[in-house]
Amino acid sequence: MTDDPKLIELPKFLDERGNLSFIEELRHVPFEIKRTYWIYDVPGGEKRGGHAYRELEEVIIALSGSFDVVLHDGTQEKRFSLNRSYNGLYVPRMMWRGLENFSTNSVALILASDAYDELDYIRDFELFIQEKKG
Ligand code: TYD
């Protein structure tokens, strides 16, 4: 679970009154959730991300609308289209990641394994490739 990106199916209670999903740390998400942030009001055609984390793990959820998460592991690229609020994408450490193709009014909710730390970011793709080779 810690090396490969993986789509997680979250619990869902379908109900005529409206649906409900939830997440518990260390049960539905393989880490303790230390931080939650969200990306919203993304103008058409914009991209977010474009970096890797040395240690941070994340789960990304399309809480509303849809977008693509593009992950590069240093060798190959994979694209995950998220459009269900009961799916989460687990992103392990040391993955180059970008978010793009946001639909109008989409909201990306991100659960993170640690507090914000700029020193954990790799913002240069060539440096990422070098560090991957170790
Ligand atoms: P960044 O992670 O670079 O955004 P993107 O999703 O496009 O990769 O974050 C943008 C800015 O927001 C960054 O300069 C610092 C700030 N920030 C925080 O202060 N705390 C956070 O938890 C996050 C995610 C970002």
Side-chain angles (χ1 to χ4, degrees), residues 35-37 39 47-51 53 58 97 99 110 115-118 121 123:
R35 176 169 53 114
T36 304
Y37 65 95
I39 295 171
K47 296 182 179 187
R48 300 290 315 216
H51 53 69
Y53 305 112
E58 289 185 332
R97 76 151 188 58
L99 277 65
I110 296 126
Y116 173 76
D117 177 8
E118 184 58 36
Y121 280 69
R123 293 191 181 272

Side-chain angles (χ1 to χ4, degrees), residues 4-115:
D4 292 323
K6 187 180 147 85
L7 210 57
I8 300 168
E9 177 133 3
L10 299 166
K12 56 176 187 285
F13 285 85
L14 304 181
D15 193 307
E16 287 170 357
R17 301 169 300 158
N19 302 333
L20 181 150
S21 285
F22 64 94
I23 299 163
E24 293 176 8
E25 61 182 354
L26 299 174
R27 186 173 169 210
H28 309 108
V29 170
F31 51 77
E32 287 182 27
I33 301 166
K34 298 275 178 62
R35 176 169 53 114
T36 304
Y37 65 95
W38 48 99
I39 295 171
Y40 53 98
D41 290 348
V42 179
E46 281 294 345
K47 296 182 179 187
R48 300 290 315 216
H51 53 69
Y53 305 112
R54 293 186 172 91
E55 297 298 335
L56 193 79
E57 298 166 77
E58 289 185 332
V59 167
I60 303 176
I61 300 165
L63 212 52
S64 181
S66 63
F67 53 84
D68 294 346
V69 182
V70 184
L71 298 179
H72 199 298
D73 64 6
T75 307
Q76 58 172 346
E77 190 175 273
K78 267 193 195 167
R79 179 179 295 266
F80 295 85
S81 295
L82 301 184
N83 56 13
R84 299 279 179 225
S85 57
Y86 53 80
N87 280 158
L89 178 65
Y90 171 70
V91 182
R93 60 182 288 275
M94 286 302 278
M95 279 277 159
W96 190 264
R97 76 151 188 58
L99 277 65
E100 59 189 55
N101 284 338
F102 287 88
S103 69
T104 307
N105 289 332
S106 56
V107 179
L109 178 73
I110 296 126
L111 314 173
S113 64
D114 218 333

